[in-house]
């Protein structure tokens, strides 16, 4: 995996804002916003994906990272 791999500074930010920033800072990744407790994700590791875990209000809950 190349480029920036995690964004701890975005915990508490809007998920859509975080999604745009990931893709701008590391164009190799596809950011996917998921609502905790509602959406399901796969467990496979991929260098081209960032899960953006948000609450029901769209606020980032966990440090987004490549995977």
């Amino acid at each position: 995996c190349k480029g920036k791999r995690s964004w701890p500074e975005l915990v508490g930010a809007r998920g859509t804002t975080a999604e745009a920033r990931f893709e701008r800072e590391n164009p190799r990744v596809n950011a996917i916003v998921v609502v905790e407790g509602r959406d399901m994700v796969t467990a496979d590791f991929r260098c081209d994906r960032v899960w953006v875990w948000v609450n029901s209000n769209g606020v980032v809950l966990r440090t987004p990272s490549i995977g």
Side-chain angles (χ1 to χ4, degrees):
C1 300
K2 295 182 180 183
K4 190 167 181 175
R5 296 183 56 144
S6 69
W7 294 263
E9 68 276 11
L10 291 175
V11 172
R14 301 280 314 152
T16 53
T17 301
E19 179 182 24
R21 183 166 167 186
F22 303 139
E23 293 175 352
R24 182 179 67 246
E25 289 185 5
N26 188 343
R28 293 179 181 90
V29 302
N30 180 32
I32 302 169
V33 177
V34 290
V35 178
E36 186 167 69
R38 185 190 78 187
D39 299 335
M40 296 180 63
V41 299
T42 62
D44 61 322
F45 183 88
R46 293 181 47 178
C47 288
D48 63 346
R49 176 179 62 209
V50 175
W51 297 118
V52 183
W53 292 94
V54 299
N55 63 17
S56 60
N57 295 318
V59 176
V60 177
L61 297 173
R62 306 180 197 173
T63 298
S65 61
I66 296 288

